[in-house]
Amino acid sequence: MNHLKFLLAIWKANLQSVMEYRVSFLTQVVGMMLNNFIYFAIWIVFFDRFKDVRGWGINDMYVTFGVLASAFGLVSLLFGNAFTLGDIINNGRLDYYLSLPRPVLLHAVSSRMISSGMGDFTYGFLSYAVSGPFTWDGLLRFVLAILLAAVVFAAFLILVNSLAFWMGIVSSFANLMLNAMITFGIYPITLFDNYAKLILFTVIPAALMGAVPAEYIRSASWQILAQLLLGAAILLGLAVTVFRSGLKRYESGSAIQVEV
Amino acid sequence: MNFIKKYWAIFQITLINSLAYPGELIGRSLMIVPFMWIFYQLWKVTFAAAGADTLNGMTLYSTMWYLMMAETIELSRPRLANVISDNVKDGSIAYILNKPYNFLLYQFSSSMGETVFRALMNAVFGGIVVWWLVGAPPAATGWAFALVALLGTWIMNFCIACLIGLSAFLVEEVSPFLWIYQKFVFILGGFLIPLDFYPHWLQAIAKALPFAYMIYGPSKLFVAPSVDLLANILSMQFVWIAVLGSILVLSYRRGVAYLTVNGG
């Protein structure tokens, strides 16, 4: 409960901080929504020409893109530093979080809000809205799927960036993995053979961020929800364990850092 | 001659800088590998589902090599707009302006130095993957024609990226313009799907805009080289460079006239 109160306070402060520059905030939100729409137009062109890919049609793409965009946006808004955790570790900027009586990982990743995330988050709902007839239980499943996909995504970012404790500079590698996660997450899962699917459920768990949540929304299957919950819990547990284990190796040059 | 020598020196310095961190260079270039693999999965299934070896004049082989060239171009683009925007916002543009070189030519030489090795590395990694997936690359003529058109692509990209960066004189945040530019390149440039697969009306729109001559042009020349196509691509690139270059020079002059730098 204490952690939740702490998080709410930090998110409120972050929101006030980004809203300080309202024009910039709005430009980024609207720009990101436009950006997502133009990007998605590729799929409209593709499915207009080829109709479906092994049973995967444009409506499936709307749902998958929707859940992926909203989950990405949610993590950008609430845990913006998860994207650059490797740099924070590598530059000795964890000193600041270590010196305060709050959970280090939670504090570090939630200390930044990325404005454009609001555009992604909102766009996801619009994409879902055009995917088919509206139902309240469908919307509820969509929200639940976003939350679980966001846990998967945040855990993956923490896991990859925590390698900085052992490897030093990991920004290129983390960027590569981030791109792979987003790229593989948006593509129809029916494209991939069993070996590729194994990779997409484990090493790069993109299926748990795109295809599986989308499948849960469409089918309302308890079994798929259980798979998603299990996957999210395992990844989160692994991410926290790896971060804590790396933290024992952490050392800094006592550089003076200012965290705003 | 001295005029060229100093920009050549700037190009060389950035080129050497880009080699200072080979791990970083290789790490970035490896990004093309998963992209090519996923494209192969998509187009293999698409061609199989259509039950045809050739669709709209493209085979799986030519589509994959086309996409390799398109990816190489896109992934090698330097972060020029962000650099210029940062220069404008933090005032460091003043540091460059008082040097004995032209700001725009300085940025061009510097960005080219950054682009060359990145493009080479992307082409090497992307080429290896595509070769393994669909077979040996197109004939030497394709390489030669694409290389000529690549220069036009880089100049056009420079003009647009500079314009976006310089818009920082007017707006606080240039990232949204950059995202939208990138997505126009994706769609109207034929970056993710060759323009040949588009409906005719969309092809006509795309070919009336500059983006098609930045990605589709060199990539198509690479897989289907012909003198006619080369002449068409180069002439359209020339027209767009003249238009974009003029807008850039005018915008730059206006922007500098508005510039106020406080402190030092």
Side-chain angles (χ1 to χ4, degrees):
Chain A
M1 200 61 196
N2 263 349
H3 289 350
L4 190 63
K5 272 173 78 179
F6 166 65
L7 274 177
L8 287 174
I10 215 163
W11 288 335
K12 190 180 166 195
N14 285 345
L15 187 64
Q16 286 170 334
S17 167
V18 294
M19 290 302 277
E20 179 73 19
Y21 302 97
R22 275 164 205 237
V23 176
S24 170
F25 178 78
L26 283 174
T27 315
Q28 290 198 55
V29 172
V30 175
M32 185 50 83
M33 289 177 72
L34 204 58
N35 169 65
N36 286 342
F37 171 73
I38 301 170
Y39 181 58
F40 193 79
I42 287 274
W43 288 108
I44 297 174
V45 171
F46 181 85
F47 282 105
D48 179 59
R49 171 70 179 80
F50 298 109
K51 306 308 171 200
D52 76 90
V53 177
R54 285 188 183 155
W56 195 278
I58 187 73
N59 285 339
D60 303 305
M61 289 304 295
Y62 277 124
V63 177
T64 313
F65 194 86
V67 75
L68 195 105
S70 285
F72 185 95
L74 196 62
V75 174
S76 309
L77 283 172
L78 305 184
F79 303 107
N81 265 346
F83 291 86
T84 50
L85 186 63
D87 291 335
I88 293 174
I89 294 165
N90 200 45
N91 296 336
R93 284 166 52 204
L94 273 187
D95 291 6
Y96 170 79
Y97 303 103
L98 282 165
S99 63
L100 293 170
R102 293 291 173 195
V104 179
L105 178 60
L106 201 60
H107 191 182
V109 294
S110 60
S111 287
R112 185 167 70 115
M113 183 173 276
I114 301 171
S115 308
S116 59
M118 184 57 91
D120 285 315
F121 184 70
T122 315
Y123 186 84
F125 280 85
L126 295 179
S127 185
Y128 173 68
V130 295
S131 70
F134 174 82
T135 57
W136 284 106
D137 59 323
L139 181 66
L140 208 65
R141 284 199 300 279
F142 181 69
V143 172
L144 183 58
I146 290 171
L147 291 175
L148 291 171
V151 171
V152 168
F153 185 46
F156 178 71
L157 289 176
I158 292 167
L159 199 56
V160 167
N161 280 286
S162 293
L163 296 178
F165 286 118
W166 291 271
M167 293 163 61
I169 298 171
V170 291
S171 52
S172 281
F173 175 72
N175 204 25
L176 177 72
M177 296 306 272
L178 171 68
N179 273 300
M181 185 83 169
I182 300 302
T183 308
F184 291 132
I186 187 62
Y187 275 74
I189 191 78
T190 49
L191 281 180
F192 305 107
D193 56 23
N194 287 337
Y195 292 113
K197 279 181 186 156
L198 183 69
I199 293 172
L200 296 180
F201 276 93
T202 53
V203 184
I204 305 164
L208 292 172
M209 194 185 167
V212 178
E215 188 57 33
Y216 165 65
I217 295 162
R218 289 188 321 169
S219 68
S221 153
W222 288 102
Q223 194 188 344
I224 296 174
L225 178 63
Q227 286 171 1
L228 193 54
L229 271 166
L230 185 68
I234 291 174
L235 265 168
L236 188 62
L238 196 64
V240 173
T241 309
V242 169
F243 180 84
R244 283 188 180 158
S245 142
L247 197 57
K248 290 177 188 157
R249 299 169 50 90
Y250 176 73
E251 51 189 35
S252 76
S254 301
I256 296 169
Q257 308 277 354
V258 179
E259 295 291 328
V260 183
Chain B
M1 197 60 196
N2 268 342
F3 177 77
I4 294 174
K5 263 171 80 180
K6 63 183 170 188
Y7 295 109
W8 180 250
I10 294 165
F11 167 78
Q12 281 180 312
I13 290 166
T14 329
L15 190 73
I16 293 163
N17 268 346
S18 73
L19 292 173
Y21 303 99
E24 173 84 7
L25 185 67
I26 292 169
R28 272 188 186 198
S29 309
L30 280 173
M31 214 177 281
I32 199 171
V33 174
F35 281 127
M36 295 323 301
W37 181 70
I38 202 166
F39 280 143
Y40 176 67
Q41 303 281 336
L42 176 68
W43 289 103
K44 187 179 69 172
V45 170
T46 305
F47 274 86
D53 289 336
T54 306
L55 292 171
N56 299 64
M58 299 285 278
T59 60
L60 178 61
Y61 169 86
S62 59
T63 304
M64 285 308 296
W65 278 108
Y66 168 99
L67 290 168
M68 192 287 287
M69 182 53 76
E71 285 285 328
T72 296
I73 295 168
E74 178 57 21
L75 294 176
S76 313
R77 268 195 308 134
R79 295 179 67 253
L80 185 63
N82 300 86
V83 172
I84 295 179
S85 146
D86 290 345
N87 285 166
V88 172
K89 284 194 281 191
D90 65 17
S92 58
I93 190 170
Y95 175 78
I96 304 172
L97 285 175
N98 66 10
K99 295 286 179 293
Y101 44 62
N102 179 288
F103 175 79
L104 294 177
L105 289 176
Y106 165 82
Q107 294 292 358
F108 180 68
S109 316
S110 170
S111 71
M112 285 308 295
E114 207 181 315
T115 304
V116 169
F117 265 109
R118 209 183 282 175
L120 189 69
M121 294 301 288
N122 278 315
V124 168
F125 286 119
I128 291 170
V129 176
V130 176
W131 193 333
W132 175 59
L133 292 171
V134 296
T141 328
W143 288 96
F145 284 10
L147 212 59
V148 175
L150 263 183
L151 187 64
T153 295
W154 286 332
I155 298 173
M156 286 167 79
N157 175 62
F158 167 78
C159 293
I160 298 175
C162 257
L163 277 167
I164 293 173
L166 290 174
S167 66
F169 277 120
L170 302 170
V171 293
E172 288 170 25
E173 184 59 58
V174 302
S175 303
F177 300 118
L178 206 54
W179 300 330
I180 291 165
Y181 163 53
Q182 187 195 40
K183 295 309 172 297
F184 274 132
V185 169
F186 278 17
I187 291 207
L188 299 169
F191 167 67
L192 292 170
I193 302 173
L195 292 186
D196 307 78
F197 294 118
Y198 284 25
H200 290 297
W201 63 269
L202 193 53
Q203 281 191 38
I205 293 174
K207 286 177 183 173
L209 293 166
F211 313 106
Y213 306 99
M214 297 169 69
I215 300 279
Y216 177 76
S219 307
K220 185 72 181 177
L221 275 172
F222 183 54
V223 294
S226 78
V227 177
D228 284 349
L229 183 63
L230 179 68
N232 174 257
I233 302 291
L234 292 185
S235 55
M236 288 309 290
Q237 283 187 339
F238 180 78
V239 169
W240 278 111
I241 288 169
V243 172
L244 295 167
S246 308
I247 299 172
L248 174 62
V249 172
L250 287 173
S251 310
Y252 170 69
R253 285 184 185 159
R254 256 184 104 88
V256 171
Y258 279 122
L259 181 68
T260 309
V261 179
N262 298 310

